[in-house]
Amino acid sequence: MNFGVISTAGIARGAVMPAIENSDHRVAAIASRDAERAASVAEDFDVPRSYGSYAALLEDDDLDAVYNPLPNSLHAEWTKRAADAGLHVLCEKPLGVDAAEAREMGAYCDERDVVLMEAFMYRYHPRTERVAEIVAEELDEVRGLQATFQFPLRGRPDDIRLNPDLAGGSLMDVGCYAVNATRLLLGEPDAVYARTADTRDCGVDTHVTGLLEYPDGLTAAVSASFDTQDTQRYRVEATNGWLEVDPAFVPRGDDGVGIEYEIDGRQVTERFDPVDQYRLEVEHFAECVRSGRTPRTDAEEAARNMAVIDALYESARTRESVAVVD
């Protein structure tokens, strides 16, 4: 499969482009609003063609799919334009700025018979699959979960993650992982309660804490921040034990990752050999294109994640508990 990459974003250069090249597929073209920038990145990665606009890349007849790592507010526009060109789309998370947009994007791509997949790479790591299995089959009566993804965002004040016009914010950028992991393990919450802080007076949340409410008193606490130290973990508490994953979403170093859990008094650490979860994501996407299967992280799954995020933002605004609308 030949990929076109729209944008020279750091996630593209640092993770997804190398993952594509290390698979059986290739990056055949890259575009930027700055033609020199696109040409420079193309040279660095041995990409055959570069373009000075996203629209020009979509006219490339040698492409099968597009990887879209643009700012959040531009995901919908350029995903739809790629679909109009008959190109399948692997789009960075969050897929849309809200649940309605994510569903609209999914319907638009379905009508044009192209595959749309949200790039939640951690969902394709074997560890995540094993965690879901343990929680579902070995933990009895899960009573709570805590999930967090935080890091100190330093650098320019014009960072796109601090821009409300680009749908920035800590919840959209990294909190979406905490919400996604919670939903994967516990299912869909009934209601949420949240508080946010804008410590940089930039118009977006730089810190958020939320409570997800489930039937029978089950609760989950999620948090995200651009202000605190690097932390990414989740822990599940059950009547017969617990499970913890740290680091949870982006492995650190090259020595693999693990799961720690205790069930019925038996404490276990499971280790996983190093894998490139971005490559596994790319390969899943390509297989869905080939076979016509629905991606694990399709637009409907993205919309359900955004429904929780929408409710968290509404709760922070109203300072009241908000029902999650499916």
mmCIF file of all heavy atoms in Angstrom, residues 15-49:
data_model
loop_
_atom_site.group_PDB
_atom_site.id
_atom_site.type_symbol
_atom_site.label_atom_id
_atom_site.label_comp_id
_atom_site.label_asym_id
_atom_site.label_seq_id
_atom_site.Cartn_x
_atom_site.Cartn_y
_atom_site.Cartn_z
ATOM 1 N N ALA A 15 7.235 8.663 14.441
ATOM 2 C CA ALA A 15 6.650 7.352 14.734
ATOM 3 C C ALA A 15 5.983 6.680 13.548
ATOM 4 O O ALA A 15 6.305 5.541 13.209
ATOM 5 C CB ALA A 15 5.636 7.485 15.882
ATOM 6 N N VAL A 16 5.060 7.364 12.889
ATOM 7 C CA VAL A 16 4.218 6.670 11.909
ATOM 8 C C VAL A 16 4.925 6.451 10.582
ATOM 9 O O VAL A 16 4.828 5.365 9.997
ATOM 10 C CB VAL A 16 2.885 7.421 11.715
ATOM 11 C CG1 VAL A 16 2.029 6.722 10.653
ATOM 12 C CG2 VAL A 16 2.121 7.481 13.043
ATOM 13 N N MET A 17 5.664 7.442 10.091
ATOM 14 C CA MET A 17 6.395 7.218 8.846
ATOM 15 C C MET A 17 7.419 6.093 8.983
ATOM 16 O O MET A 17 7.492 5.208 8.124
ATOM 17 C CB MET A 17 7.034 8.523 8.368
ATOM 18 C CG MET A 17 6.017 9.542 7.860
ATOM 19 S SD MET A 17 6.743 11.147 7.420
ATOM 20 C CE MET A 17 7.776 10.695 6.014
ATOM 21 N N PRO A 18 8.224 6.062 10.055
ATOM 22 C CA PRO A 18 9.124 4.913 10.225
ATOM 23 C C PRO A 18 8.365 3.592 10.333
ATOM 24 O O PRO A 18 8.832 2.557 9.829
ATOM 25 C CB PRO A 18 9.867 5.241 11.523
ATOM 26 C CG PRO A 18 9.832 6.727 11.617
ATOM 27 C CD PRO A 18 8.499 7.119 11.055
ATOM 28 N N ALA A 19 7.199 3.612 10.981
ATOM 29 C CA ALA A 19 6.412 2.383 11.112
ATOM 30 C C ALA A 19 5.933 1.889 9.753
ATOM 31 O O ALA A 19 5.960 0.684 9.474
ATOM 32 C CB ALA A 19 5.216 2.628 12.030
ATOM 33 N N ILE A 20 5.488 2.811 8.912
ATOM 34 C CA ILE A 20 5.052 2.425 7.562
ATOM 35 C C ILE A 20 6.220 1.818 6.797
ATOM 36 O O ILE A 20 6.091 0.766 6.153
ATOM 37 C CB ILE A 20 4.472 3.633 6.815
ATOM 38 C CG1 ILE A 20 3.168 4.105 7.475
ATOM 39 C CG2 ILE A 20 4.216 3.293 5.341
ATOM 40 C CD1 ILE A 20 2.644 5.426 6.940
ATOM 41 N N GLU A 21 7.367 2.464 6.859
ATOM 42 C CA GLU A 21 8.527 1.984 6.111
ATOM 43 C C GLU A 21 9.040 0.643 6.638
ATOM 44 O O GLU A 21 9.624 -0.144 5.888
ATOM 45 C CB GLU A 21 9.644 3.033 6.146
ATOM 46 C CG GLU A 21 9.317 4.308 5.387
ATOM 47 C CD GLU A 21 9.083 4.083 3.898
ATOM 48 O OE1 GLU A 21 9.599 3.075 3.344
ATOM 49 O OE2 GLU A 21 8.369 4.891 3.278
ATOM 50 N N ASN A 22 8.804 0.350 7.915
ATOM 51 C CA ASN A 22 9.237 -0.922 8.489
ATOM 52 C C ASN A 22 8.212 -2.039 8.284
ATOM 53 O O ASN A 22 8.450 -3.175 8.686
ATOM 54 C CB ASN A 22 9.516 -0.761 9.983
ATOM 55 C CG ASN A 22 10.793 0.015 10.246
ATOM 56 O OD1 ASN A 22 11.735 -0.037 9.453
ATOM 57 N ND2 ASN A 22 10.833 0.750 11.343
ATOM 58 N N SER A 23 7.094 -1.690 7.662
ATOM 59 C CA SER A 23 6.085 -2.687 7.312
ATOM 60 C C SER A 23 6.268 -3.073 5.848
ATOM 61 O O SER A 23 7.285 -2.743 5.228
ATOM 62 C CB SER A 23 4.683 -2.115 7.553
ATOM 63 O OG SER A 23 4.385 -1.110 6.597
ATOM 64 N N ASP A 24 5.272 -3.744 5.291
ATOM 65 C CA ASP A 24 5.332 -4.095 3.873
ATOM 66 C C ASP A 24 4.792 -2.977 2.982
ATOM 67 O O ASP A 24 4.569 -3.180 1.788
ATOM 68 C CB ASP A 24 4.519 -5.373 3.614
ATOM 69 C CG ASP A 24 5.159 -6.593 4.244
ATOM 70 O OD1 ASP A 24 6.395 -6.597 4.394
ATOM 71 O OD2 ASP A 24 4.424 -7.536 4.589
ATOM 72 N N HIS A 25 4.596 -1.799 3.559
ATOM 73 C CA HIS A 25 4.019 -0.672 2.832
ATOM 74 C C HIS A 25 5.045 0.451 2.743
ATOM 75 O O HIS A 25 6.151 0.327 3.264
ATOM 76 C CB HIS A 25 2.729 -0.241 3.526
ATOM 77 C CG HIS A 25 1.840 -1.415 3.853
ATOM 78 N ND1 HIS A 25 1.149 -2.094 2.889
ATOM 79 C CD2 HIS A 25 1.605 -2.062 5.034
ATOM 80 C CE1 HIS A 25 0.489 -3.102 3.443
ATOM 81 N NE2 HIS A 25 0.748 -3.111 4.750
ATOM 82 N N ARG A 26 4.686 1.541 2.117
ATOM 83 C CA ARG A 26 5.675 2.619 1.984
ATOM 84 C C ARG A 26 4.999 3.976 1.945
ATOM 85 O O ARG A 26 3.813 4.109 1.586
ATOM 86 C CB ARG A 26 6.519 2.436 0.720
ATOM 87 C CG ARG A 26 5.772 2.666 -0.588
ATOM 88 C CD ARG A 26 6.746 2.780 -1.741
ATOM 89 N NE ARG A 26 6.068 3.162 -2.980
ATOM 90 C CZ ARG A 26 6.643 3.789 -3.992
ATOM 91 N NH1 ARG A 26 7.926 4.114 -3.927
ATOM 92 N NH2 ARG A 26 5.961 4.085 -5.077
ATOM 93 N N VAL A 27 5.756 4.990 2.345
ATOM 94 C CA VAL A 27 5.330 6.378 2.191
ATOM 95 C C VAL A 27 5.768 6.821 0.803
ATOM 96 O O VAL A 27 6.965 6.901 0.514
ATOM 97 C CB VAL A 27 5.948 7.285 3.265
ATOM 98 C CG1 VAL A 27 5.508 8.729 3.046
ATOM 99 C CG2 VAL A 27 5.562 6.805 4.663
ATOM 100 N N ALA A 28 4.792 7.094 -0.048
ATOM 101 C CA ALA A 28 5.093 7.453 -1.428
ATOM 102 C C ALA A 28 5.074 8.953 -1.668
ATOM 103 O O ALA A 28 5.620 9.435 -2.665
ATOM 104 C CB ALA A 28 4.102 6.778 -2.381
ATOM 105 N N ALA A 29 4.458 9.713 -0.742
ATOM 106 C CA ALA A 29 4.387 11.166 -0.922
ATOM 107 C C ALA A 29 4.105 11.834 0.415
ATOM 108 O O ALA A 29 3.502 11.234 1.311
ATOM 109 C CB ALA A 29 3.288 11.526 -1.922
ATOM 110 N N ILE A 30 4.566 13.074 0.525
ATOM 111 C CA ILE A 30 4.308 13.860 1.728
ATOM 112 C C ILE A 30 4.011 15.284 1.317
ATOM 113 O O ILE A 30 4.549 15.782 0.318
ATOM 114 C CB ILE A 30 5.494 13.799 2.711
ATOM 115 C CG1 ILE A 30 5.124 14.473 4.039
ATOM 116 C CG2 ILE A 30 6.760 14.417 2.114
ATOM 117 C CD1 ILE A 30 6.115 14.194 5.157
ATOM 118 N N ALA A 31 3.141 15.949 2.093
ATOM 119 C CA ALA A 31 2.757 17.325 1.774
ATOM 120 C C ALA A 31 2.856 18.205 3.008
ATOM 121 O O ALA A 31 2.693 17.748 4.140
ATOM 122 C CB ALA A 31 1.331 17.368 1.221
ATOM 123 N N SER A 32 3.121 19.473 2.736
ATOM 124 C CA SER A 32 3.136 20.492 3.773
ATOM 125 C C SER A 32 2.659 21.790 3.135
ATOM 126 O O SER A 32 2.707 21.944 1.907
ATOM 127 C CB SER A 32 4.550 20.678 4.338
ATOM 128 O OG SER A 32 4.629 21.818 5.177
ATOM 129 N N ARG A 33 2.207 22.723 3.956
ATOM 130 C CA ARG A 33 1.885 24.054 3.412
ATOM 131 C C ARG A 33 3.154 24.790 2.996
ATOM 132 O O ARG A 33 3.085 25.774 2.264
ATOM 133 C CB ARG A 33 1.121 24.863 4.465
ATOM 134 C CG ARG A 33 -0.272 24.332 4.755
ATOM 135 C CD ARG A 33 -0.910 25.062 5.910
ATOM 136 N NE ARG A 33 -0.137 24.886 7.143
ATOM 137 C CZ ARG A 33 -0.393 25.497 8.292
ATOM 138 N NH1 ARG A 33 -1.401 26.354 8.360
ATOM 139 N NH2 ARG A 33 0.342 25.283 9.356
ATOM 140 N N ASP A 34 4.298 24.295 3.463
ATOM 141 C CA ASP A 34 5.605 24.845 3.108
ATOM 142 C C ASP A 34 6.300 23.832 2.196
ATOM 143 O O ASP A 34 6.723 22.762 2.637
ATOM 144 C CB ASP A 34 6.418 25.076 4.377
ATOM 145 C CG ASP A 34 7.783 25.691 4.130
ATOM 146 O OD1 ASP A 34 8.345 25.472 3.031
ATOM 147 O OD2 ASP A 34 8.314 26.348 5.036
ATOM 148 N N ALA A 35 6.417 24.153 0.907
ATOM 149 C CA ALA A 35 6.978 23.203 -0.061
ATOM 150 C C ALA A 35 8.412 22.824 0.287
ATOM 151 O O ALA A 35 8.810 21.657 0.117
ATOM 152 C CB ALA A 35 6.921 23.805 -1.473
ATOM 153 N N GLU A 36 9.196 23.765 0.773
ATOM 154 C CA GLU A 36 10.574 23.455 1.142
ATOM 155 C C GLU A 36 10.629 22.499 2.326
ATOM 156 O O GLU A 36 11.472 21.597 2.382
ATOM 157 C CB GLU A 36 11.335 24.745 1.464
ATOM 158 C CG GLU A 36 11.582 25.634 0.250
ATOM 159 C CD GLU A 36 12.435 26.834 0.597
ATOM 160 O OE1 GLU A 36 12.884 26.934 1.771
ATOM 161 O OE2 GLU A 36 12.657 27.678 -0.294
ATOM 162 N N ARG A 37 9.729 22.697 3.263
ATOM 163 C CA ARG A 37 9.664 21.809 4.416
ATOM 164 C C ARG A 37 9.302 20.393 3.966
ATOM 165 O O ARG A 37 9.913 19.411 4.403
ATOM 166 C CB ARG A 37 8.623 22.334 5.409
ATOM 167 C CG ARG A 37 8.296 21.414 6.567
ATOM 168 C CD ARG A 37 9.445 21.252 7.499
ATOM 169 N NE ARG A 37 9.056 20.525 8.697
ATOM 170 C CZ ARG A 37 9.907 19.985 9.552
ATOM 171 N NH1 ARG A 37 11.216 20.093 9.351
ATOM 172 N NH2 ARG A 37 9.478 19.346 10.613
ATOM 173 N N ALA A 38 8.327 20.278 3.080
ATOM 174 C CA ALA A 38 7.925 18.957 2.575
ATOM 175 C C ALA A 38 9.082 18.290 1.842
ATOM 176 O O ALA A 38 9.340 17.089 2.022
ATOM 177 C CB ALA A 38 6.719 19.095 1.655
ATOM 178 N N ALA A 39 9.789 19.051 1.036
ATOM 179 C CA ALA A 39 10.911 18.495 0.278
ATOM 180 C C ALA A 39 12.027 18.037 1.203
ATOM 181 O O ALA A 39 12.658 16.994 0.975
ATOM 182 C CB ALA A 39 11.430 19.525 -0.718
ATOM 183 N N SER A 40 12.273 18.795 2.264
ATOM 184 C CA SER A 40 13.328 18.441 3.208
ATOM 185 C C SER A 40 13.006 17.135 3.935
ATOM 186 O O SER A 40 13.868 16.254 4.069
ATOM 187 C CB SER A 40 13.518 19.566 4.222
ATOM 188 O OG SER A 40 14.454 19.208 5.221
ATOM 189 N N VAL A 41 11.761 17.006 4.392
ATOM 190 C CA VAL A 41 11.368 15.777 5.084
ATOM 191 C C VAL A 41 11.372 14.603 4.113
ATOM 192 O O VAL A 41 11.793 13.493 4.461
ATOM 193 C CB VAL A 41 9.986 15.947 5.752
ATOM 194 C CG1 VAL A 41 9.500 14.629 6.333
ATOM 195 C CG2 VAL A 41 10.054 17.015 6.833
ATOM 196 N N ALA A 42 10.921 14.835 2.884
ATOM 197 C CA ALA A 42 10.938 13.771 1.871
ATOM 198 C C ALA A 42 12.359 13.271 1.644
ATOM 199 O O ALA A 42 12.598 12.059 1.536
ATOM 200 C CB ALA A 42 10.333 14.279 0.570
ATOM 201 N N GLU A 43 13.306 14.188 1.597
ATOM 202 C CA GLU A 43 14.705 13.795 1.411
ATOM 203 C C GLU A 43 15.205 12.988 2.600
ATOM 204 O O GLU A 43 15.888 11.967 2.428
ATOM 205 C CB GLU A 43 15.573 15.031 1.208
ATOM 206 C CG GLU A 43 17.040 14.710 0.962
ATOM 207 C CD GLU A 43 17.883 15.950 0.714
ATOM 208 O OE1 GLU A 43 17.320 17.067 0.754
ATOM 209 O OE2 GLU A 43 19.097 15.806 0.495
ATOM 210 N N ASP A 44 14.851 13.431 3.807
ATOM 211 C CA ASP A 44 15.309 12.740 5.016
ATOM 212 C C ASP A 44 14.792 11.302 5.073
ATOM 213 O O ASP A 44 15.478 10.409 5.585
ATOM 214 C CB ASP A 44 14.847 13.494 6.264
ATOM 215 C CG ASP A 44 15.575 14.811 6.458
ATOM 216 O OD1 ASP A 44 16.635 14.996 5.839
ATOM 217 O OD2 ASP A 44 15.066 15.652 7.229
ATOM 218 N N PHE A 45 13.581 11.078 4.566
ATOM 219 C CA PHE A 45 12.952 9.767 4.676
ATOM 220 C C PHE A 45 12.919 8.999 3.351
ATOM 221 O O PHE A 45 12.265 7.961 3.259
ATOM 222 C CB PHE A 45 11.521 9.922 5.211
ATOM 223 C CG PHE A 45 11.442 10.231 6.683
ATOM 224 C CD1 PHE A 45 11.516 11.541 7.133
ATOM 225 C CD2 PHE A 45 11.308 9.216 7.610
ATOM 226 C CE1 PHE A 45 11.445 11.834 8.496
ATOM 227 C CE2 PHE A 45 11.239 9.489 8.968
ATOM 228 C CZ PHE A 45 11.310 10.800 9.410
ATOM 229 N N ASP A 46 13.616 9.514 2.346
ATOM 230 C CA ASP A 46 13.636 8.871 1.026
ATOM 231 C C ASP A 46 12.233 8.690 0.457
ATOM 232 O O ASP A 46 11.906 7.641 -0.128
ATOM 233 C CB ASP A 46 14.340 7.508 1.088
ATOM 234 C CG ASP A 46 15.828 7.644 1.408
ATOM 235 O OD1 ASP A 46 16.435 8.610 0.926
ATOM 236 O OD2 ASP A 46 16.350 6.788 2.141
ATOM 237 N N VAL A 47 11.399 9.685 0.629
ATOM 238 C CA VAL A 47 10.045 9.668 0.075
ATOM 239 C C VAL A 47 10.111 10.192 -1.357
ATOM 240 O O VAL A 47 10.669 11.274 -1.588
ATOM 241 C CB VAL A 47 9.092 10.533 0.928
ATOM 242 C CG1 VAL A 47 7.707 10.603 0.286
ATOM 243 C CG2 VAL A 47 8.999 9.978 2.348
ATOM 244 N N PRO A 48 9.545 9.490 -2.314
ATOM 245 C CA PRO A 48 9.736 9.852 -3.726
ATOM 246 C C PRO A 48 9.197 11.227 -4.116
ATOM 247 O O PRO A 48 9.804 11.926 -4.923
ATOM 248 C CB PRO A 48 8.983 8.751 -4.489
ATOM 249 C CG PRO A 48 8.896 7.612 -3.540
ATOM 250 C CD PRO A 48 8.831 8.204 -2.178
ATOM 251 N N ARG A 49 8.043 11.632 -3.549
ATOM 252 C CA ARG A 49 7.410 12.870 -4.010
ATOM 253 C C ARG A 49 7.003 13.742 -2.830
ATOM 254 O O ARG A 49 6.582 13.222 -1.783
ATOM 255 C CB ARG A 49 6.170 12.545 -4.872
ATOM 256 C CG ARG A 49 6.523 11.783 -6.146
ATOM 257 C CD ARG A 49 5.286 11.442 -6.965
ATOM 258 N NE ARG A 49 4.349 10.585 -6.256
ATOM 259 C CZ ARG A 49 4.509 9.271 -6.100
ATOM 260 N NH1 ARG A 49 5.602 8.668 -6.540
ATOM 261 N NH2 ARG A 49 3.589 8.555 -5.472
#
